[in-house]
Amino acid sequence: MTTWANMNLQDSASPIMEQLIYFHDHTLMIILMILTIVSYMMMAMTYNKFIDRYLLEGQMIEVAWTIAPAIILVFIAVPSLRLLYLMDEINNPALTLKTIGHQWYWSYEYSDFNKIEFDSYMIPQPDNKINEFRLLDVDNRATLPLNSFIRMIITAEDVLHSWTIPSLGIKADATPGRLNQTSFLINRPGVFYGQCSEICGANHSFMPIVIEGIPSNLFISWILKMSS
């Protein structure tokens, strides 16, 4: 059941998403402080029969409300730029996974392991089991190892798509004729859900993404099973 506690960002499953959540909270606190101060000043000026001529026109207040926003922007820009550089950092990948967007499903290729390929379709609602999510579960999940740098190569066959996993902090466009690259690391086991985030046609809402993060020894067993 949905509650107010669910109206937040998803729990992070990667170091980048942890940093994104920290930055979100940091920026939100600054915004709330600004909102509180500005609201107080507006209320004080509105519900006041006196007029402060120094507040309406004065050199000091002009200087103050010019310098203060500049300082606030510095406190937002520095962690933002740091995070952007962290997201663009490319590490030596332990595994490369290619995904191709289609109208309307995803296909995956594990090129490092004897060309393992499969398509991933959404499970129709009448076929959903009691423990599966409506419009989110798929028949073939992309399985990846924990604590290993994964390189994702993303493209599309027909129209624009977008491969997105919120809990991993990933959103990368899938463009026909182009290869897009991103990288991430899964730091906790689990099943992580995403959806196409680029309007791509009539069934745009019905091409979910499911990533299953498992320990390396189980991943090797899964690869051997898929190869046989």
Side-chain angles (χ1 to χ4, degrees):
M1 182 177 69
T2 303
T3 64
W4 285 104
N6 299 129
M7 295 184 65
N8 204 340
L9 299 172
Q10 294 185 20
D11 292 338
S12 67
S14 70
I16 289 297
M17 189 58 190
E18 286 182 16
Q19 294 297 317
L20 285 168
I21 292 173
Y22 291 150
F23 177 67
H24 168 269
D25 295 344
H26 167 78
T27 309
L28 187 62
M29 185 57 64
I30 292 174
I31 291 171
L32 286 173
M33 289 169 61
I34 295 170
L35 179 64
T36 303
I37 294 170
V38 172
S39 299
Y40 171 76
M41 292 179 66
M42 291 182 66
M43 294 291 287
M45 292 176 65
T46 303
Y47 298 100
N48 190 345
K49 61 182 179 180
F50 301 107
I51 296 176
D52 187 344
R53 63 190 180 91
Y54 295 107
L55 186 62
L56 295 178
E57 184 178 355
Q59 290 295 324
M60 282 302 296
I61 197 164
E62 293 284 350
V63 171
W65 67 37
T66 301
I67 294 176
I71 295 172
I72 291 169
L73 287 174
V74 169
F75 278 93
I76 296 175
V78 170
S80 174
L81 290 171
R82 170 183 169 272
L83 189 51
L84 282 172
Y85 278 106
L86 280 175
M87 293 173 71
D88 285 340
E89 186 176 1
I90 302 297
N91 297 281
N92 188 25
L95 172 69
T96 299
L97 175 62
K98 181 180 179 182
T99 181
I100 305 171
H102 307 265
Q103 289 181 310
W104 288 273
Y105 64 96
W106 297 95
S107 60
Y108 296 95
E109 299 178 5
Y110 291 78
S111 304
D112 298 334
F113 303 98
N114 297 324
K115 204 71 174 174
I116 296 172
E117 301 178 7
F118 56 85
D119 297 329
S120 181
Y121 288 88
M122 185 191 77
I123 298 176
Q125 185 175 343
D127 299 335
N128 275 133
K129 299 187 175 95
I130 193 68
N131 62 337
E132 293 175 341
F133 290 106
R134 173 181 173 269
L135 304 183
L136 280 178
D137 262 301
V138 296
D139 53 359
N140 292 309
R141 295 173 175 174
T143 304
L144 293 171
L146 299 178
N147 299 318
S148 301
F149 283 104
I150 311 298
R151 175 172 58 190
M152 284 295 306
I153 296 176
I154 302 158
T155 187
E157 187 183 60
D158 33 49
V159 298
L160 288 173
H161 300 278
S162 185
W163 197 83
T164 306
I165 302 284
S167 57
L168 296 177
I170 297 173
K171 182 179 185 294
D173 289 339
T175 308
R178 289 177 175 266
L179 293 178
N180 200 357
Q181 177 177 299
T182 187
S183 61
F184 59 92
L185 180 145
I186 305 173
N187 60 6
R188 67 178 175 89
V191 179
F192 312 111
Y193 296 89
Q195 290 175 301
C196 177
S197 298
E198 185 75 41
I199 296 176
C200 57
N203 289 342
H204 158 69
S205 302
F206 307 109
M207 48 183 301
I209 304 159
V210 182
I211 296 291
E212 186 170 356
I214 59 175
S216 298
N217 57 335
L218 296 179
F219 175 75
I220 293 171
S221 300
W222 179 81
I223 284 291
L224 293 173
K225 180 182 176 182
M226 293 292 290
S227 300
S228 58

